[in-house]
Amino acid sequence: MSNSPALARRLGTFDASLIGLGSMIGAGVFAAFTPAAAAAGSGLLIGLIVAAFVAFCNATSSAQLAAAYPTSGGTYVYGRERLGPWSGFLAGWGFVIGKTASAAAMAMTFAAYAAPAGWERPVAIAAVVILTAVNYHGVTRTAGLTRILVIAVLVALAIAVTAVWGGSGPDFSNVAGEGLLAHGWYGILQSGGLLFFAFAGYARIATMGEEVREPRRTIPRAISIALGITIILYAVIAVTVLAALGPDGVAGTPTPLADAVNAGALSWAAPVVRVGAAVASLGALLALVAGLGRTSLAMAREHDLPHWLAAVHPRYKVPHRAETTLAIVICLIIAVADLRDAIGFSSFGVLLYYLVANIAAFTQPAEDRRYPKALQVAGAVACVALVATLPPLSVGLGVLMFAVGIVFRLLRLRRIAKG
């Protein structure tokens, strides 16, 4: 490994859990249920169980690996250590391109709820610039702001759920019954793939392993806490919106939770939901920028990205060049991309990232093993299956970007070989 400056270990279990929680609740609660309902109807509840199980498998692999390799970079580092440089590179490349698209999607989601009509893209770009500046000034500020954002979102969701159930009463026939399997198992698996996008934030904790105190104890605990809270939260929201609107109603609106509140007797709470959506998107964007910077730092240390990006700020102890460069790329994506395309492209890169994580965890020796190998096998198989459910355009763009990354690395290796 490179001898470049180390990052400061400042995060405990509470802050690390909040960063993971803030990474997960931004997209799923307010965005993922609509396409999931279109794919599976009320069967999205089974899809949610599928997505949660896949996320659990991947989380245990990430936790097991992070405990053995507590440094920045996540699966990029794990893949290099367990499977070789090429596997690490593919994981890191998948993470960077996938999460860069995801960061753009979160900024666009924030703007969709918060910006005046016609000003969505400028407001999204402004959000990226401001939150990158927060990250630039140190990880403790990132954790502090994330704590505020997560609490605000949870309060907004609690008000929304109370408003729905405190009104005239949702219809439970929309939630269960024969409709669960009406769209078939392909639709259910497709909804699982879409809902998995909403769970993907737990690995943000592992990518920040170099900044966590007592990482062998803190990282596995923080991942389990963040994932467990998110699963419970998603299940409550899924049942709530289905009971209030029915599967067709959920599939027909980009704002199902706000519409569920509007449909009840306590519609005054709907603006609270819009504020919660905007705040949740900001929380996810904040954590994404932090995680992207750390993985890019690790790749730059190994020259898999330009080594210039490996710099750590002498005062704030953050990878300032990597974060600034990624912020520029995110803003460019916002300027030209569609939200749906960004989400699909992100899922492609992230699922391949976790595929490498599961394979790497499978190879760990007995002394480093915390979970049975069956979980890693299930996680790897599920990642491949969920990739197969993505839209063809997302898969095509993903393959193209991986080809670009492979060519880049081959050219770099050839230049090194020539001296």
Side-chain angles (χ1 to χ4, degrees):
M1 295 289 290
S2 168
N3 292 322
S4 59
L7 302 176
R9 295 193 185 277
R10 295 171 175 169
L11 301 179
T13 300
F14 183 72
D15 284 333
S17 299
L18 278 176
I19 288 175
L21 186 62
S23 301
M24 284 184 276
I25 66 173
V29 173
F30 301 102
F33 289 123
T34 293
S42 59
L44 74 85
L45 292 173
I46 302 176
L48 182 63
I49 296 172
V50 172
F53 175 72
V54 176
F56 175 73
C57 292
N58 295 343
T60 56
S61 292
S62 295
Q64 182 173 291
L65 288 159
Y69 305 101
T71 186
S72 284
T75 301
Y76 170 70
V77 173
Y78 314 150
R80 285 183 64 91
E81 294 291 337
R82 302 302 316 165
L83 305 173
W86 268 108
S87 294
F89 172 79
L90 291 175
W93 187 257
F95 182 90
V96 170
I97 64 173
K99 288 305 181 179
T100 299
S102 185
M106 287 300 91
M108 287 187 275
T109 300
F110 163 73
Y113 283 93
W119 285 84
E120 290 86 357
R121 292 187 194 274
V123 169
I125 291 172
V128 173
V129 172
I130 292 170
L131 293 188
T132 300
V134 171
N135 269 301
Y136 192 100
H137 285 82
V139 71
T140 51
R141 286 181 174 82
T142 297
L145 182 54
T146 298
R147 183 187 298 117
I148 296 171
L149 294 176
V150 169
I151 292 172
V153 172
L154 292 177
V155 170
L157 291 173
I159 292 173
V161 171
T162 301
V164 172
W165 291 101
S168 57
D171 184 359
F172 264 109
S173 66
N174 293 326
V175 177
E178 295 180 1
L180 286 173
L181 301 176
H183 291 250
W185 281 103
Y186 180 81
I188 288 172
L189 291 175
Q190 185 177 79
S191 73
L194 293 166
L195 290 168
F196 176 77
F197 169 78
F199 281 105
Y202 52 78
R204 205 76 65 253
I205 302 166
T207 65
M208 302 181 76
E210 196 172 317
E211 294 159 281
V212 172
R213 297 191 302 267
E214 300 182 72
R216 288 183 177 271
R217 179 178 64 89
T218 298
I219 290 174
R221 182 180 297 178
I223 288 175
S224 298
I225 292 171
L227 184 60
I229 292 173
T230 301
I231 290 171
I232 294 170
L233 177 65
Y234 282 13
V236 170
I237 299 301
V239 170
T240 298
V241 296
L242 282 172
L245 301 176
D248 291 339
V250 177
T253 173
T255 56
L257 192 55
D259 284 13
V261 174
N262 273 325
L266 305 178
S267 58
W268 58 264
V272 177
V273 178
R274 297 189 70 87
V275 172
V279 172
S281 300
L282 283 180
L285 176 60
L286 181 67
L288 279 165
V289 172
L292 275 166
R294 275 69 185 173
T295 298
S296 299
L297 168 70
M299 295 182 72
R301 284 172 170 173
E302 299 292 342
H303 298 272
D304 278 336
L305 288 177
H307 191 62
W308 178 81
L309 298 175
V312 174
H313 195 282
R315 177 180 176 185
Y316 299 120
K317 303 300 182 184
V318 296
H320 58 297
R321 291 178 182 171
E323 288 187 353
T324 302
T325 301
L326 287 163
I328 293 171
V329 175
I330 293 167
C331 290
L332 291 174
I333 294 173
I334 292 170
V336 300
D338 175 80
L339 177 60
R340 184 181 303 173
D341 294 337
I343 290 175
F345 180 71
S346 172
S347 295
F348 183 92
V350 172
L351 283 166
L352 291 183
Y353 172 88
Y354 287 122
L355 173 62
V356 175
N358 282 299
I359 296 172
F362 183 83
T363 69
Q364 286 185 276
E367 58 267 24
D368 290 334
R369 181 157 298 283
R370 294 165 177 257
Y371 305 98
K373 287 189 172 183
L375 286 177
Q376 287 118 49
V377 173
V381 172
C383 284
V384 175
L386 294 183
V387 164
T389 72
L390 294 174
L393 177 61
S394 298
V395 175
L397 288 174
V399 170
L400 176 62
M401 286 306 300
F402 268 87
V404 169
I406 290 169
V407 170
F408 168 79
R409 190 167 194 272
L410 286 172
L411 292 174
R412 185 186 69 82
L413 293 175
R414 175 181 288 185
R415 187 164 60 250
I416 292 174
K418 290 182 177 179

